[in-house]
Amino acid sequence: MTSLDTARAELGLVVLYLNKAEARDKICRAIQYGSKFLSNGQAGTAQTVDKNTSLARKVFRLFKFVNDLHGLISPVPQGTPLPLVLLGKSKNALLSTFLFLDQIVWLGRSGIYKNKERTELIGRISLFCWLGSSVCTTLAEIGELGRLSGSMKKIEKNLKNTDKYENEDYRAKLKKSNERTLALIKSAMDIVVAVGLLQLAPKKVTPRVTGAFGFTTSLISCYQLLPSPPKSKTT
């Protein structure tokens, strides 16, 4: 490939990435929590950006609750342990509820729904749902990593003196393990973000801590949404 073809391919990946509503939402989320980190809860430009970006992000999430509602009623893969099934379904139910209630919060903060007290109450309930879904995700990822670890050990025993990294099944499971480890880190950090937004531990989880954790998880989400690079053609 020429340098022009390479540049065109890379630019195409950027366009593909930015065309995803989810990717744009996570970029805005990074801006939101980055601003929260800078403001540290103090009035000023950074706090204004934080609040305005938070409101703008809610538009990206309109009707997104349908995704997790679909996941809630979808069948699970055969052989999945019951505790992991329950955790997965609980996560879907809580996240779907959070996203649904978040739409009412958007209506309230946009001035369409006039009851401010109820809007704030619904917003707080929605954040508790998000906190619960993050806890369920964290526990589910720990369980799935345990299952993967057991499968990888079995492959290692069967391979004996063979290089395990040359085995396709082992490499696939190792890749999946790395992805789940990253998802575990993200969900665990999101628990801290939810605690910060709910002000459950205001002395320890300050707006700056919330912003730092939220910014980090946003970058992780952006990374997870990156498209796979095209394979270079060999001649």
Side-chain angles (χ1 to χ4, degrees):
M1 293 178 70
T2 64
S3 58
L4 181 60
D5 289 334
T6 303
R8 188 184 295 115
E10 290 176 351
L11 189 59
L13 287 175
V14 173
V15 172
L16 180 66
Y17 184 75
L18 294 177
N19 277 340
K20 296 179 182 179
E22 185 77 7
R24 294 197 299 272
D25 175 46
K26 298 309 177 187
I27 292 170
C28 288
R29 188 179 190 269
I31 295 170
Q32 175 194 344
Y33 283 103
S35 300
K36 185 180 290 292
F37 172 79
L38 293 174
S39 71
N40 195 25
Q42 303 299 316
T45 304
Q47 189 181 63
T48 302
V49 172
D50 172 16
K51 290 182 178 179
N52 290 343
T53 310
S54 175
L55 186 61
R57 285 186 60 227
K58 296 184 187 303
V59 179
F60 289 113
R61 299 200 295 263
L62 288 175
F63 301 108
K64 191 179 174 183
F65 70 92
V66 175
N67 294 346
D68 281 278
L69 190 60
H70 179 264
L72 180 63
I73 61 176
S74 297
V76 297
Q78 288 186 349
T80 305
L82 182 59
L84 292 182
V85 173
L86 293 176
L87 283 170
K89 295 302 181 182
S90 298
K91 171 241 175 185
N92 289 137
L94 288 166
L95 194 55
S96 182
T97 304
F98 159 68
L99 292 168
F100 177 77
L101 294 178
D102 201 48
Q103 295 181 139
I104 301 174
V105 176
W106 173 73
L107 291 173
R109 292 179 182 172
S110 299
I112 299 171
Y113 180 62
K114 303 297 183 182
N115 194 324
K116 291 184 178 180
E117 289 184 4
R118 185 160 294 180
T119 298
E120 292 304 315
L121 176 61
I122 292 172
R124 192 164 177 82
I125 293 171
S126 72
L127 285 174
F128 271 111
C129 289
W130 183 51
L131 172 61
S133 73
S134 297
V135 171
C136 288
T137 303
T138 301
L139 295 175
E141 292 298 342
I142 291 172
E144 291 290 358
L145 279 169
R147 293 179 70 200
L148 276 171
S149 178
S151 298
M152 290 169 71
K153 286 179 180 178
K154 286 182 180 178
I155 294 174
E156 287 181 36
K157 287 181 180 179
N158 292 333
L159 292 174
K160 294 181 179 177
N161 297 326
T162 311
D163 185 1
K164 59 187 178 183
Y165 295 106
E166 292 181 359
N167 184 273
E168 188 175 344
D169 287 341
Y170 185 86
R171 290 201 308 269
K173 289 187 182 297
L174 180 61
K175 181 182 178 183
K176 194 69 177 176
S177 177
N178 291 337
E179 290 172 353
R180 287 200 173 277
T181 300
L182 187 62
L184 171 62
I185 293 169
K186 176 180 170 294
S187 60
M189 293 182 74
D190 272 338
I191 293 174
V192 179
V193 176
V195 168
L197 293 175
L198 287 164
Q199 296 184 331
L200 299 178
K203 291 183 179 180
K204 292 183 178 180
V205 188
T206 63
R208 179 151 287 170
V209 172
T210 305
F213 275 69
F215 181 74
T216 304
T217 57
S218 300
L219 293 182
I220 292 173
S221 296
C222 288
Y223 171 76
Q224 290 173 324
L225 290 168
L226 286 174
S228 300
K231 293 181 180 178
S232 58
K233 296 179 180 179
T234 56
T235 55

